[in-house]
């Protein structure tokens, strides 16, 4: 399997060449030259597989420059009951016939990013070991991504993590999750500023190309192709749990921010998984909902990005969205380059009509909807859901079709967003075993001013 850029550069690269990369050199995103097609016989063969074996089968179609026995060992190490809580890894929780949640948030940080990041940790350690190299991951987080990266990379050979977060602005639970890690390769830096200050420092360090090369600075952001691939697996796993034969179709509703999760659903559908609809659910930051309803893509500035009670979906532009547009427009790289180079764009009527062929529909949700849906789910189905999953369920209920099971991807556990659960139901969401007193654990964190030089000096002193 070879990979090309969405912006027209036809240079073909192998998986291991792009594994540690972010953007392609022309500024585009990597996609496979074509999607491998999965036929009926293959679906039948895969139907009975355990999650780790299914992951091996799917990933080996894309990662064919990793020897099969090595890749099998990697998937076996990654997707275990010990890490993800159940033998199914992403079990369904039925709400009523034809409607279920697919639990993606039973990993170490209680959010779906663990599904991909845990694999990435294993792949990075493997590939860096093979090359005899090291990598220093530098990132900024306001919560979920940073903790998922740290839990994936903790103790991994050849990898250090330097994670910037806004001092005093994450929830006590989120701070405890990250700062309680005691591994020597994990470095928490609390910056005396806001999230944008953290991100600016990461950009400034990465733009210093000499520093970047000398100190082997890398990232694990959501455009990484391996992260997206890891997410393709659970669409197959959800489909097999929800159906008894390959003639049946299933729809997925996906709480969306950077379009990484639902883009994996698009890849699964392109491979031939019988998906009827991919329902994109946004919160008040509805740039994607607007696009799917009107064909207008209008990324917002930071100032127009709302702070909501489903904060992991508070984005102004969706970094993975370009991958879908590349496929939508017949893989015309020069057109994609022109559209994304211009910032926003509007599809013509013909192009807009194609959206339905790809199965996409959308909807959005507000704080009031979120509260109402958390209550409805609790009262009607006896299930406590988090704020992001509530956005998904709200939109899913607007898009059900007769005879087609709707799966709503559960992207976080309610324990992570306790304040909104209290507001909706006046109850305290339960914490998974072992996390009851996490706030009391000793913390490893260095507080720093908003100062790129200080962060560089810290990295120099700790690699
Ligand atoms: C990251 C995240 C999302 C959004 O996923 P994208 O891949 O960015 O669309 C939704 N819910 C939760 C809980 C998240 O952490």
């Amino acid at each position: 399997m070879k990979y090309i850029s969405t912006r027209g550069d036809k240079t073909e690269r192998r998986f291991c060449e792009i594994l540690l990369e972010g953007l392609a050199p022309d500024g585009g995103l990597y996609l496979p030259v074509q999607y491998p097609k999965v036929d009926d016989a293959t679906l039948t063969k895969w139907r009975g597989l355990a999650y780790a074996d299914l992951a091996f089968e799917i990933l080996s179609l894309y990662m064919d420059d990793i020897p099969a026995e090595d890749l099998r060992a990697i998937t076996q190490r990654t997707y275990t009951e010990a890490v993800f809580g159940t033998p199914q890894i992403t079990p369904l929780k039925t709400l009523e016939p034809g409607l279920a949640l697919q639990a993606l948030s039973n990993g170490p940080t209680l959010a779906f990013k663990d599904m991909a990041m845990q694999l990435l940790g294993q792949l990075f350690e493997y590939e860096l070991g093979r090359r005899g190299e090291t990598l220093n991951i530098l990132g900024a987080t306001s919560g979920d991504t940073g903790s998922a990266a740290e839990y994936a990379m903790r103790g991994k050979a050849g990898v250090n993590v330097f994670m910037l977060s806004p001092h005093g602005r994450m929830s006590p639970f989120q701070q405890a999750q990250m700062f309680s890690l005691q591994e020597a390769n994990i470095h928490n830096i609390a910056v005396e500023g806001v999230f944008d200050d953290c991100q600016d420092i990461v950009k400034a360090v990465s733009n210093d190309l000499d520093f970047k090369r000398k100190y082997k600075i890398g990232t694990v952001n959501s455009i990484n192709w391996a992260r997206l691939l890891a997410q393709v697996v659970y669409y197959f796993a959800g489909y097999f749990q929800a159906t008894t034969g390959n003639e049946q179709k299933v729809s997925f509703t996906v709480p969306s921010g950077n379009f990484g999760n639902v883009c994996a659903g698009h890849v699964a559908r392109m491979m031939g998984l019988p998906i009827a609809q991919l329902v994109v659910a946004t919160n008040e930051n509805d740039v994607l909902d607007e696009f799917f309803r009107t064909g207008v893509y209008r990324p917002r500035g930071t100032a127009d990005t709302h702070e909501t009670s489903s904060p992991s979906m508070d984005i102004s532009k969706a970094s993975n969205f370009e991958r879908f547009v590349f496929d939508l427009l017949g893989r015309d790289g020069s057109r994609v380059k022109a559209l994304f180079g211009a910032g926003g764009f509007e599809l013509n009527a013909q192009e807009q009509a194609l959206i339905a062929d790809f199965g996409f529909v959308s909807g959005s949700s507000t704080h009031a909807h979120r509260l109402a849906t958390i209550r409805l789910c609790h009262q009607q189905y006896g299930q406590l859901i988090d704020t992001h999953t509530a956005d998904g369920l709200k939109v899913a209920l607007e898009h059900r079709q007769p005879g087609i099971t709707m799966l709503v991807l559960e992207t976080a556990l309610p324990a992570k967003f306790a304040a909104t659960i209290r507001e909706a139901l006046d109850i305290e969401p339960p914490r998974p075993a072992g996390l009851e007193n996490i706030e009391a654990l000793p913390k490893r964190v260095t507080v720093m001013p908003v100062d790129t030089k200080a962060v560089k000096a810290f990295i120099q002193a700790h690699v």
Side-chain angles (χ1 to χ4, degrees):
M1 177 62 75
K2 300 279 180 54
Y3 295 90
I4 51 170
S5 164
T6 53
R7 296 210 180 169
D9 178 358
K10 296 271 189 309
T11 312
E12 298 192 355
R13 295 178 171 83
R14 305 293 299 266
F15 174 75
C16 287
E17 293 175 70
I18 68 167
L19 167 62
L20 305 172
E21 302 290 320
L23 292 175
D26 67 351
L29 306 183
Y30 289 113
L31 273 181
V33 169
Q34 82 276 324
Y35 296 108
K37 294 284 187 246
V38 175
D39 62 15
D40 187 64
T42 308
L43 282 178
T44 301
K45 198 173 83 194
W46 287 359
R47 188 171 272 285
L49 294 181
Y51 194 95
D53 295 323
L54 179 63
F56 167 74
E57 295 293 338
I58 295 170
L59 298 179
S60 63
L61 300 174
Y62 292 94
M63 305 181 181
D64 53 6
D65 49 344
I66 298 179
E69 63 270 29
D70 293 353
L71 185 58
R72 193 177 280 284
I74 287 170
T75 56
Q76 295 289 344
R77 272 202 302 277
T78 304
Y79 296 110
T80 65
E81 184 175 351
V83 173
F84 289 98
T86 66
Q88 299 93 331
I89 308 297
T90 62
L92 299 191
K93 299 192 242 180
T94 301
L95 301 182
E96 63 181 38
L99 181 67
L101 305 174
Q102 185 176 0
L104 306 181
S105 47
N106 294 328
T109 73
L110 318 186
F112 92 97
K113 292 191 174 63
D114 291 327
M115 293 302 306
M117 212 69 94
Q118 287 288 318
L119 180 78
L120 206 64
Q122 298 287 351
L123 287 170
F124 274 26
E125 183 173 57
Y126 172 83
E127 179 61 16
L128 290 167
R130 191 159 82 163
R131 295 185 193 179
E133 289 177 9
T134 59
L135 185 70
N136 296 305
I137 293 168
L138 175 64
T141 189
S142 52
D144 282 352
T145 310
S147 56
E150 291 191 353
Y151 279 77
M153 303 297 167
R154 66 193 290 199
K156 294 281 186 296
V159 189
N160 293 301
V161 177
F162 296 88
M163 193 57 67
L164 277 50
S165 59
H167 182 48
R169 286 174 189 261
M170 291 193 297
S171 74
F173 181 78
Q174 285 175 318
Q175 293 183 42
Q177 265 193 317
M178 288 178 54
F179 301 166
S180 64
L181 291 180
Q182 297 299 326
E183 281 79 4
N185 72 326
I186 303 297
H187 304 280
N188 290 300
I189 302 174
V191 175
E192 292 169 315
V194 294
F195 173 66
D196 286 331
D197 296 320
C198 300
Q199 223 163 14
D200 288 344
I201 294 174
V202 170
K203 276 187 204 143
V205 174
S206 304
N207 287 340
D208 180 344
L209 294 182
D210 287 337
F211 187 90
K212 190 177 172 198
R213 211 167 298 125
K214 183 161 179 209
Y215 292 100
K216 304 189 186 330
I217 303 295
T219 56
V220 288
N221 47 28
S222 84
I223 58 169
N224 180 285
W225 172 249
R227 266 182 76 178
L228 200 138
L229 261 188
Q231 295 168 180
V232 172
V233 177
Y234 54 70
Y235 285 87
F236 282 83
Y239 174 78
F240 291 136
Q241 291 178 79
T243 58
T244 50
N246 306 337
E247 73 290 351
Q248 298 159 36
K249 286 194 169 187
V250 162
S251 291
F252 289 89
T253 300
V254 188
S256 295
N258 273 316
F259 204 73
N261 197 351
V262 74
C263 194
H266 163 68
V267 171
R269 194 171 180 276
M270 296 299 279
M271 291 172 72
L273 188 67
I275 295 175
Q277 292 195 313
L278 289 164
V279 185
V280 176
T282 73
N283 63 19
E284 290 89 334
N285 297 292
D286 58 356
V287 49
L288 289 171
D289 179 39
E290 180 176 60
F291 171 79
F292 285 105
R293 282 187 296 101
T294 67
V296 175
Y297 183 58
R298 201 167 50 89
R300 322 274 155 83
T302 321
D304 298 318
T305 307
H306 307 281
E307 264 185 51
T308 75
S309 47
S310 45
S312 301
M313 291 153 63
D314 291 351
I315 57 99
S316 43
K317 57 178 197 291
S319 52
N320 274 289
F321 178 59
E322 184 171 330
R323 288 191 158 112
F324 167 67
V325 173
F326 184 66
D327 286 338
L328 181 75
L329 300 179
R331 304 201 131 205
D332 180 347
S334 55
R335 183 84 206 287
V336 169
K337 184 175 177 177
L339 292 183
F340 282 88
F345 56 82
E346 179 167 5
L347 299 182
N348 64 40
Q350 221 176 343
E351 293 165 339
Q352 208 188 320
L354 292 173
I355 289 175
D357 298 345
F358 286 83
F360 275 93
V361 292
S362 71
S364 70
S365 170
T366 64
H367 183 69
H369 292 133
R370 218 162 281 138
L371 296 178
T373 308
I374 290 168
R375 288 188 199 112
L376 170 117
C377 191
H378 192 247
Q379 279 148 19
Q380 198 156 319
Y381 304 122
Q383 291 278 353
L384 199 55
I385 53 172
D386 95 291
T387 52
H388 306 77
T389 309
D391 289 334
L393 182 58
K394 184 263 179 189
V395 176
L397 293 173
E398 298 165 351
H399 287 280
R400 290 179 74 185
Q401 293 172 303
I404 296 178
T405 293
M406 175 67 82
L407 299 184
V408 181
L409 299 188
E410 180 188 58
T411 56
L413 291 192
K416 285 196 97 163
F417 303 95
T420 308
I421 303 301
R422 282 194 293 269
E423 187 182 346
L425 293 167
D426 204 19
I427 59 174
E428 199 59 42
R431 287 210 185 157
L435 298 177
E436 294 87 350
N437 293 313
I438 187 171
E439 287 92 338
L441 295 175
K443 295 186 171 58
R444 260 183 92 238
V445 58
T446 305
V447 180
M448 271 188 206
V450 182
D451 180 359
T452 303
K453 276 203 214 78
V455 171
K456 281 183 174 171
F458 183 89
I459 293 171
Q460 282 170 317
H462 290 89
V463 296

